Amino acid sequence: MSAQRLRTPLTELVGIEHPIVQTGMGWVAGPGLVAATANAGGLGILASATMNLDELEVAIAKTKAKTDKPFGVNIRADLSDAPDRIEMMIREGVKVASFALAPKKELIARLKDNGVVVMPSIGAAKHAVKVASWGADAVIVQGGEGGGHTGSVATTLLLPSVLDAVDIPVVAGGGFFDGRGLAAALSYGAAGVAMGTRFLLTQDSSVPESVKQEYLKRGLQDTVVSRKVDGMPHRVLNTELVDKLEHSGPARGFLAAATNAVKFKNMTGMKWTTIMKEGLNTRKHKGLTWSQVIMGANTPMLLKAGLVDGNTQAGVLASGQVAGIIDDLPTVADLIDSIITDAVLRIDSLAQYKVTDSATA
């Protein structure tokens, strides 16, 4: 573990050693990766959107068995059992609650009253202002370079707009992978960086080796923001399947969504009434059309096929643009060590550009 340290509002808030967050990637951020990140001094976030309540309890227990350091859990605020998940997190002593959608004020209050740090992910300054007014402790802001569901504004513009809008710690996501990025984010005023694809491409990631090699082969132009995966902007690797989806009509998308909804029901054991209820919640909270809700059934199964089963012909591979510049698979410990070491060196080196009065006299 790096002997170098960078103390920021994030490290102080969460009680971690390094201002680096491993994001809650569905099918990727399991107990092994989360614990490896925590043990290396960062904040690992467990992904739970594809888990039912019992599976989440098991995943939390497995993570706690592998580390005694702080970690987080990412949940969808629109799930019908979100209050039950929150009670479980409180009971199990989870340090951070991360949200893909803005949680309700009462959920934030319940978490904060029990010592849980609330850190929603947001994509616009106005959303940061809203969750801050509701009591969120910090926010993760992801620029358009990021993988998965993403916006159109680059991190270099989105980050300062959020920093100017709120007084709580802001963690920068989208386009980060090394010490240069961390140093730059801290210079902007961020409290740390959040990375997904960079952690996916480590030895501690459970993603099949063949799939990792597929990522490593790609260049900076090899991702695409598609609406054909689930009806919303979704940055993924540009594979043959994605290309076919991009050039297909709506009928194909609806048929795939219906088929995948059945698969998802069978995998999770959820009742159709529960699935419909959560579809209604998603439509309400995200302001989606019914066609987008139906298309959303594609996401879990298409990602599972690619990231778990390793079937790139039948699945999609969520990816940030940084995949095009990453060329190695370090351990999480080595990754975090190198990022911190490099960031400290780069921050120190900036002093050479400062001109003192005596130098100009």
Side-chain angles (χ1 to χ4, degrees), residues 68-257:
D68 59 359
K69 303 291 182 64
F71 67 92
V73 172
N74 178 265
I75 65 174
R76 279 178 46 181
D78 60 331
L79 291 178
S80 58
D81 65 353
D84 296 326
R85 292 172 184 250
I86 284 172
E87 292 305 317
M88 178 189 295
M89 291 163 62
I90 293 170
R91 185 171 66 250
E92 295 296 329
V94 173
K95 182 64 177 180
V96 176
S98 168
F99 290 89
L101 296 172
K104 296 178 181 178
K105 287 188 285 187
E106 55 267 29
L107 295 183
I108 293 178
R110 176 64 180 163
L111 288 161
K112 288 174 65 81
D113 287 346
N114 287 275
V116 182
V117 174
V118 179
M119 190 183 302
S121 295
I122 55 92
K126 63 181 181 180
H127 299 148
V129 171
K130 177 183 290 186
V131 296
S133 71
W134 290 350
D137 298 292
V139 291
I140 297 174
V141 52
Q142 177 180 298
E145 302 95 322
H149 292 122
T150 193
S152 59
V153 181
T155 304
T156 49
L157 296 175
L158 183 60
L159 177 58
S161 75
V162 174
L163 287 165
D164 289 344
V166 297
D167 294 324
I168 59 176
V170 176
V171 179
F176 296 100
F177 63 97
D178 64 1
R180 291 173 295 183
L182 175 56
L186 296 179
S187 296
Y188 270 99
V193 295
M195 304 184 299
T197 305
R198 174 66 276 195
F199 278 103
L200 184 156
L201 294 173
T202 62
Q203 294 178 33
D204 297 281
S205 162
S206 62
V207 172
E209 184 68 22
S210 61
V211 175
K212 292 178 184 177
Q213 293 302 321
E214 185 68 27
Y215 277 86
L216 293 180
K217 290 189 301 185
R218 299 311 186 98
L220 287 172
Q221 304 299 320
D222 288 336
T223 64
V224 61
V225 178
S226 174
R227 288 181 176 270
K228 291 296 185 74
V229 174
D230 60 8
M232 294 175 285
H234 199 127
R235 185 178 292 282
V236 296
L237 285 187
N238 195 4
T239 61
E240 184 178 342
L241 172 63
V242 170
D243 187 60
K244 287 181 179 178
L245 289 173
E246 282 293 285
H247 293 89
S248 67
R252 175 181 179 137
F254 290 151
L255 177 61

Side-chain angles (χ1 to χ4, degrees), residues 46 95 122 164 175 217 257 265 316 327 337-338:
L46 187 68
K95 182 64 177 180
I122 55 92
D164 289 344
K217 290 189 301 185
K265 174 186 179 296
V316 297
D327 60 6
D337 179 81
S338 67

Side-chain angles (χ1 to χ4, degrees), residues 76 78 101 232 275-294:
R76 279 178 46 181
D78 60 331
L101 296 172
M232 294 175 285
I275 291 175
M276 288 300 296
K277 184 176 181 181
E278 292 184 357
L280 286 167
N281 282 336
T282 300
R283 185 170 186 265
K284 176 182 177 182
H285 287 280
K286 289 189 176 181
L288 306 181
T289 64
W290 271 115
S291 63
Q292 288 173 315
V293 172
I294 294 170

Side-chain angles (χ1 to χ4, degrees), residues 41-59:
L43 174 63
I45 298 179
L46 187 68
S48 76
T50 55
M51 301 177 188
N52 61 35
L53 200 60
D54 291 338
E55 289 169 336
L56 176 56
E57 186 171 24
V58 171

